[in-house]
């Protein structure tokens, strides 16, 4: 009859629409899943910004495909009400697999977005700490250079005072090297190069490091210079102190 023929035509049209949107998602999902595949994030603020921009475009792609997922669900529900029992399994399969993969994709995209933003905030904080540490090291470098130009006095008490004064600077450098942000930066970004303090057995350690970053390499180089200056001055003062202490012993020696 005409009514039955119309129903068959409508069912066929609906099935074709269903197949079209299913095919769209079958093509899109593997590509999207590949884009959102877990990867380690770079410790570079510019690179992270670029990745955030790319991820925001990806999220727009996801929003544009939500209508396809909704249409699959709507058509599947209509088809299931009137389709042949043999077709139920296939319709439910495409509906379930598409919805499951879609939900997983949305969740992974959400997590990746959070990771990118968290990394960006962390790097902004590290960049600020980096500038503070560079400023501190520059001040210590200027101080040590000034002190180095002054001759070491020929007096035990004066040398003792200079040694105590230098120990305060040395202690501050040790604290700087043990700061969390300093260790984090040096352990993840600069080149792996032992500092003079390592070579001299000092407690000031330049930790083993990995990937290269020019700004962090600046911190490494500044640290290497300042720690070398601090160690050399400490040795000079200690040698002078030991020498004048020996002179005082000879002065007071009872022959």
């Amino acid at each position: 009859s005409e009514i039955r023929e119309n129903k068959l035509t409508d069912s066929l049209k609906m099935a074709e629409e269903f197949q079209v949107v299913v095919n769209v998602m079958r093509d899109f999902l593997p590509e999207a899943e590949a884009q959102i595949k877990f990867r380690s994030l770079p410790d570079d603020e510019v690179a992270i910004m670029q990745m955030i921009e790319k991820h925001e475009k990806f999220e727009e792609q996801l929003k544009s495909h939500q209508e396809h997922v909704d249409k699959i669900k709507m058509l599947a529900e209509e088809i299931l009400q009137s389709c042949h029992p043999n077709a139920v399994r296939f319709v439910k399969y495409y509906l379930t697999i598409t919805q499951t993969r879609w939900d997983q994709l949305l969740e992974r995209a959400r997590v990746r977005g959070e990771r990118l933003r968290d990394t960006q905030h962390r790097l902004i904080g590290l960049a600020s700490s980096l500038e503070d540490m560079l400023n501190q090291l520059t001040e210590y470098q200027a101080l040590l250079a000034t002190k180095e130009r002054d001759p070491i006095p020929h007096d035990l008490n004066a040398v003792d005072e200079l040694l105590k004064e230098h120990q305060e600077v040395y202690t501050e450098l040790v604290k700087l090297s043990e700061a969390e942000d300093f260790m984090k930066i040096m352990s993840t970004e600069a080149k792996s190069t032992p500092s003079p303090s390592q070579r001299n057995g000092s407690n000031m350690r330049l930790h083993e490091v990995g990937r290269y970053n020019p700004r962090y390499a600046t911190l490494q180089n500044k640290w290497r210079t300042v720690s070398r200056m601090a160690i050399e001055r400490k040795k000079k003062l200690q040698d002078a102190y030991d020498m004048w202490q020996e002179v005082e012993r000879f002065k007071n020696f009872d022959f």
Side-chain angles (χ1 to χ4, degrees), residues 35-48:
Q35 287 188 56
I36 208 69
K37 185 178 179 181
F38 182 86
R39 296 181 181 87
S40 59
L41 300 180
D43 284 324
D44 181 88
E45 197 174 342
V46 174
I48 288 294

Side-chain angles (χ1 to χ4, degrees), residues 51-191:
M51 292 182 73
I52 289 175
E53 291 176 3
K54 184 178 179 180
H55 186 70
E56 288 174 349
K57 292 179 181 178
F58 176 73
E59 288 178 321
E60 289 300 319
Q61 277 188 297
L62 292 181
K63 289 179 183 178
S64 69
H65 280 76
Q66 180 65 57
E67 62 183 59
H68 296 304
V69 177
D70 294 340
K71 191 170 184 179
I72 288 173
K73 184 178 180 181
M74 179 193 70
L75 290 172
E77 290 174 352
E78 291 186 22
I79 291 172
L80 288 172
Q81 292 177 4
S82 58
C83 70
H84 191 278
N86 291 340
V88 170
R89 180 166 60 91
F90 297 102
V91 174
K92 285 185 175 182
Y93 169 77
Y94 285 121
L95 173 62
T96 301
I97 195 66
T98 302
Q99 189 67 55
T100 299
R101 290 177 70 181
W102 178 249
D103 290 342
Q104 291 174 346
L105 183 61
L106 291 179
E107 177 62 16
R108 290 169 66 185
R110 182 190 67 78
V111 171
R112 184 169 180 80
E114 289 182 355
R115 284 185 64 220
L116 286 168
R117 287 185 289 273
D118 289 345
T119 300
Q120 182 187 35
H121 293 153
R122 177 178 63 82
L123 290 176
I124 290 173
L126 280 178
S128 177
S129 294
L130 171 62
E131 295 307 316
D132 289 342
M133 288 183 285
L134 280 172
N135 289 335
Q136 290 182 57
L137 288 173
T138 299
E139 290 175 5
Y140 286 132
Q141 184 177 10
L143 175 63
L144 290 168
T146 300
K147 294 291 185 182
E148 190 62 26
R149 287 194 292 268
D150 297 333
I152 296 177
H154 294 182
D155 179 78
L156 179 62
N157 291 331
V159 174
D160 185 40
E161 286 300 316
L162 288 176
L163 196 55
K164 290 177 180 177
E165 180 184 281
H166 181 71
Q167 185 59 44
E168 293 179 4
V169 175
Y170 198 84
T171 301
E172 289 302 314
L173 285 173
V174 172
K175 289 181 181 178
L176 176 62
S177 74
E178 293 174 347
E180 182 179 353
D181 282 347
F182 181 90
M183 295 171 66
K184 189 181 297 182
I185 289 172
M186 302 300 279
S187 65
T188 59
E189 291 301 331
K191 287 183 176 179

Side-chain angles (χ1 to χ4, degrees), residues 194-234:
S195 73
S197 55
Q198 285 178 304
R199 293 193 293 267
N200 287 275
S202 165
N203 287 329
M204 292 191 290
R205 296 190 304 242
L206 178 62
H207 302 271
E208 288 188 4
V209 289
R211 289 166 292 181
Y212 178 78
N213 180 295
R215 197 59 179 150
Y216 293 152
T218 301
L219 179 64
Q220 178 190 8
N221 293 333
K222 179 72 73 173
W223 167 254
R224 183 167 59 241
T225 298
V226 175
S227 61
R228 174 181 53 78
M229 293 172 68
I231 290 166
E232 288 177 354
R233 178 160 179 79
K234 183 177 182 180

Side-chain angles (χ1 to χ4, degrees), residues 4-50:
R4 184 177 180 182
E5 186 176 340
N6 288 337
K7 284 185 177 182
L8 287 173
T9 301
D10 290 341
S11 296
L12 179 60
K13 183 179 179 181
M14 195 180 301
E16 289 174 347
E17 284 185 53
F18 183 74
Q19 189 63 48
V20 168
V21 288
V22 165
N23 286 340
V24 169
M25 292 307 297
R26 282 173 62 182
D27 291 338
F28 174 73
L29 284 171
E31 296 177 2
E33 288 164 346
Q35 287 188 56
I36 208 69
K37 185 178 179 181
F38 182 86
R39 296 181 181 87
S40 59
L41 300 180
D43 284 324
D44 181 88
E45 197 174 342
V46 174
I48 288 294
M49 279 293 297
Q50 292 172 344

